[in-house]
Amino acid sequence: MSHDASPMEQVRNSLILPALVVVGLMVGVLAEFVLRHPVANWAYGLVYLLGGLPAGWQALQSLWRDHVLDIDLLMVLAALAAALVGAPMEGAILLTLFAISQTLEHRAMGRARRAVEALMALRPDTAFLRRGAEVQEVPAESLIAGDIVVLRPGARVPVDGVVVTGEGLLDEATLTGESEPQHKGPGAALHEATVNLNGVLDMQVTRGLADSTVARMIRLVTEAQAARAPSERFSEWFGQRYTVAVLVGSITAYLGLLWWGLPHQDALYRAATLMVAASPCAVVISVPAAILSALSAAARGGVLFKGGAALETLAEVKSFAFDKTGTLTTGRAEVARIVSADLPEDDLVQLLAGLEAQSEHPIAAAILREAARRGLDVREREGLRALASEGIVSGQGGDSLWAGNPRLANRMGADLDLPWLDVIRAEDKTVVYLGQGAKVLGAVSVADQPRPTSAAALVALRRGGVATIAMMTGDRRPVAERIGAELGLTKDEVHADLLPADKVALVGAMTARGKVAFVGDGVNDAAALARADVGIAMGVAGSEVALQAADVAFLAEDMGRLAEAHRLSRRTARIIRQNLTFAIGAMVLLVIGALAFELPLPLAVIGHEGGTLLVVLNGLRLLSDPIRRVKKPA
């Protein structure tokens, strides 16, 4: 029912032509029933020309070019049939209501498709580039990684970057849906299109305009709207085949009624009525209306679905698996204790920071912050090798410097059963060991805390019908159980000491009991994200890996939005079922009326077009269903 057209064609088809069609019908009715003037036929002819010719031409093009029988063709044929049997007014009414319905439908669906335009509008055109002591205004598209940009109060961030100097509050609501202003200081990440509320910041560019957060969001939203959900594919498949059946059935009905003894005009009129009554417009449009509306509502709340399939599948999920660090916890851990065999604490932290300098893991960030607090000069080590869920090794052979967990210590042949390590091992905190070859040089414990929104989100998920929740981590069991207890999880729901392959296996085992969603940071959990029915990456406005690996991306680090997204997906599924039930039910009633009760053509037209508009409007209700923050349970 929809066709690609230029902007001018869209304006002409959606506004000017329908207006002229309405005027033509009004003149025709006035001339026929009030003035009793033959100009009525000319007015009806204008309606046929303006209302039927464009739709018929597009339908014939689809038939010729794509070998697709468009539903619009049924409307035009029915109107022509009415004219042939001497009922031009009924045909004109059909084409007029059809034109109005198409206009309202296109404009309503356009509201759901304007997400990309809204994202484009967020981008500032220019930026203030610092070059030495001078600051000059340049096009935002000219910025490259490494440039220093000055952000003044009230300015939008032109591209992604990090704060170099200055502090201030930034409004990230347009991008992440986060309503509270976020404090940003040196080292904090800034994302394109967010607003600097106060203070003057110097920002170093990390990505150019083509690879920025908004650019990736635009690609995701565009791909999401293009990717069809299973129910969309079904409605389109059904519509194509059913349209052929309607055309063949109408011709058969016409021939059957002639054989039954009805006059030619009556048989043709009844066949035209059947063609209108049986047209599956409402069935075909009912699913896209709901899917596009839900995708747009979610995007406004900082939740990006990679298409309708992810949205539909999330509605069926009854089991959620979570990564711990950086997902259920803040990911902003702090060094709690340092123990050393011989090295001074500063030397131990300096060595650890040199190994962790290139890592993106939250524990590495905690060690680097500790080194910065102590004012240590961190020098990156060379020849680093990262071992998944174990740690980092620098160098080869028996003198390799390494930092990691007990699995890495065992790999290096180091003995951790040392009395001076007992005090740090006894803590329910994450422990990172530092060693060289088979010798342990020291260890630090790092404490992480649950996100403030995590416990409330888990409660909301359970209230929303989620039967199984599991927390998975490569951390030690005492650490995992402490976090789990604070989140209200039982010991059976906590899985610790896991390798990435173990997480994948656990997710695979959960899928045997139904649809499973895995929620992770998208960097260390890519395999588990891919294995789950729905992979969800949290807080990834700056993570390309997360956007690649996940089916759903949450731009804000707010666990509460997860329960809201699950609720929105389930509501979308309900509205799709409502639309399909109503559309198919209305179509059956109209067909029965046309076949058995001599339903007049105008009533068939009103029923058909009215049903189509109702399912579109019902789907558009999702546009006003935003992703909200889940409140902490009382």
Side-chain angles (χ1 to χ4, degrees):
M1 295 181 62
S2 61
H3 310 286
D4 295 330
S6 68
M8 287 301 297
E9 288 176 324
Q10 291 175 2
V11 171
R12 185 191 66 205
N13 294 338
S14 64
L15 296 176
I16 300 175
L17 287 183
L20 292 175
V21 167
V22 171
V23 171
L25 178 65
M26 293 174 62
V27 170
V29 172
L30 180 66
E32 182 175 357
F33 294 99
V34 178
L35 302 178
R36 306 291 181 179
H37 195 282
V39 76
N41 291 328
W42 289 96
Y44 292 145
L46 179 67
V47 172
Y48 277 77
L49 183 66
L50 298 179
L53 188 60
W57 177 248
Q58 291 280 10
L60 289 174
Q61 281 186 318
S62 295
L63 184 62
W64 177 263
R65 182 182 62 241
D66 304 322
H67 307 294
V68 170
L69 185 60
D70 200 301
I71 299 172
D72 295 4
L73 185 61
L74 298 183
M75 299 298 102
V76 176
L77 290 176
L80 290 175
L84 288 174
V85 298
M89 186 188 71
E90 282 89 340
I93 292 174
L94 187 159
L95 291 175
T96 301
L97 290 178
F98 180 64
I100 294 173
S101 172
Q102 290 283 80
T103 298
L104 295 176
E105 177 190 317
H106 288 159
R107 291 183 68 83
M109 292 292 285
R111 292 181 58 199
R113 297 181 189 273
R114 281 194 282 271
V116 172
E117 295 176 13
L119 289 172
M120 291 291 289
L122 296 177
R123 312 178 105 175
D125 296 325
T126 62
F128 290 96
L129 178 65
R130 184 185 295 281
R131 287 178 175 159
E134 295 183 0
V135 175
Q136 60 183 118
E137 190 171 9
V138 299
E141 62 188 19
S142 69
L143 297 175
I144 60 174
D147 284 346
I148 302 297
V149 173
V150 178
L151 295 176
R152 297 166 180 169
R156 285 192 183 273
V157 179
V159 290
D160 294 347
V162 295
V163 178
V164 178
T165 59
E167 293 187 15
L169 295 175
L170 268 86
D171 179 1
E172 298 183 336
T174 53
L175 187 66
T176 67
E178 176 57 61
S179 58
E180 296 294 327
Q182 302 296 300
H183 179 267
K184 302 287 184 178
L190 299 180
H191 304 300
E192 181 190 6
T194 55
V195 181
N196 178 27
L197 298 178
N198 57 5
V200 177
L201 309 177
D202 274 13
M203 178 194 83
Q204 184 176 41
V205 176
T206 55
R207 294 189 186 95
L209 201 64
D211 299 316
S212 65
T213 297
V214 172
R216 287 178 290 157
M217 286 179 65
I218 290 171
R219 285 196 294 269
L220 277 175
V221 173
T222 304
E223 291 168 3
Q225 292 185 348
R228 296 185 180 276
S231 58
E232 286 182 285
R233 291 195 294 270
F234 166 75
S235 65
E236 183 176 340
W237 176 90
F238 172 82
Q240 291 296 325
R241 285 151 182 78
Y242 186 74
T243 299
V244 176
V246 169
L247 186 58
V248 172
S250 299
I251 295 172
T252 303
Y254 167 69
L255 296 175
L257 290 170
L258 284 178
W259 178 81
W260 190 262
L262 254 67
H264 160 71
Q265 289 192 339
D266 291 346
L268 191 57
Y269 185 87
R270 294 274 294 276
T273 304
L274 176 63
M275 188 181 299
V276 174
S279 292
C281 293
V283 176
V284 172
I285 201 64
S286 60
V287 178
I291 292 289
L292 285 173
S293 298
L295 290 176
S296 297
R300 289 202 311 272
V303 179
L304 301 182
F305 286 89
K306 289 187 177 178
L311 182 69
E312 285 195 349
T313 306
L314 184 60
E316 303 172 16
V317 166
K318 298 295 183 183
S319 299
F320 276 82
F322 294 87
D323 173 51
K324 176 181 75 67
T325 306
T327 303
L328 289 172
T329 65
T330 63
R332 187 175 175 85
E334 299 296 338
V335 173
R337 185 188 295 272
I338 302 172
V339 295
S340 175
D342 305 309
L343 292 172
E345 283 192 1
D346 282 0
D347 292 350
L348 181 71
V349 173
Q350 192 173 36
L351 284 173
L352 268 174
L355 285 170
E356 302 283 7
Q358 297 182 26
S359 174
E360 296 181 357
H361 197 279
I363 292 176
I367 293 171
L368 291 169
R369 282 194 297 271
E370 179 67 17
R373 187 182 68 81
R374 292 169 177 257
L376 302 176
D377 181 22
V378 176
R379 298 177 181 175
E380 294 183 8
R381 306 285 300 192
E382 296 181 355
L384 292 175
R385 289 179 292 127
L387 304 177
S389 293
E390 292 188 11
I392 294 177
V393 179
S394 174
Q396 301 288 337
D399 292 331
S400 298
L401 193 67
W402 54 270
N405 58 23
R407 283 192 291 271
L408 181 56
N410 291 335
R411 179 191 290 269
M412 304 305 294
D415 181 13
L416 298 181
D417 191 17
L418 301 170
W420 58 275
L421 289 174
D422 289 344
V423 63
I424 202 168
R425 257 201 316 266
E427 297 177 335
D428 56 359
K429 298 178 175 65
T430 303
V431 179
V432 179
Y433 297 94
L434 175 69
Q436 187 163 23
K439 181 182 179 181
V440 180
L441 301 178
V444 300
S445 64
V446 178
D448 198 1
Q449 299 299 322
R451 291 187 186 278
T453 55
S454 291
L458 296 184
V459 170
L461 283 173
R462 294 188 198 275
R463 288 175 179 169
V466 174
T468 305
I469 291 178
M471 184 179 79
M472 302 180 183
T473 178
D475 221 332
R476 297 185 304 133
R477 177 155 285 278
V479 181
E481 289 184 351
R482 173 179 66 84
I483 297 294
E486 294 182 39
L487 294 174
L489 299 175
T490 66
K491 289 186 177 182
D492 290 339
E493 293 175 322
V494 174
H495 305 270
D497 297 307
L498 301 178
L499 293 167
D502 298 327
K503 293 182 182 180
V504 174
L506 280 172
V507 171
M510 293 174 68
T511 58
R513 301 190 296 271
K515 301 288 186 184
V516 176
F518 183 86
V519 189
D521 61 15
V523 177
N524 299 322
D525 302 303
L529 286 166
R531 178 64 181 86
D533 297 294
V534 181
I536 302 172
M538 296 292 300
V540 294
S543 172
E544 182 66 32
V545 177
L547 294 177
Q548 293 286 347
D551 302 300
V552 186
F554 285 67
L555 299 177
E557 295 183 343
D558 180 2
M559 280 292 297
R561 299 179 194 275
L562 177 61
E564 278 290 281
H566 187 234
R567 178 194 58 78
L568 178 63
S569 68
R570 288 184 290 115
R571 185 168 185 236
T572 303
R574 287 197 301 272
I575 286 180
I576 287 174
R577 288 195 295 270
Q578 291 170 6
N579 279 354
L580 289 174
T581 300
F582 174 80
I584 293 173
M587 191 168 63
V588 169
L589 289 176
L590 289 173
V591 169
I592 292 173
L595 290 174
F597 299 101
E598 299 186 11
L599 181 73
L601 179 59
L603 288 182
V605 172
I606 293 171
H608 174 269
E609 303 300 341
T612 301
L613 278 177
L614 282 176
V615 297
V616 169
L617 293 174
N618 191 41
L620 290 177
R621 289 193 298 140
L622 291 166
L623 281 172
S624 58
D625 190 359
I627 301 291
R628 299 181 296 265
R629 177 179 294 208
V630 174
K631 296 181 180 179
K632 295 181 181 179

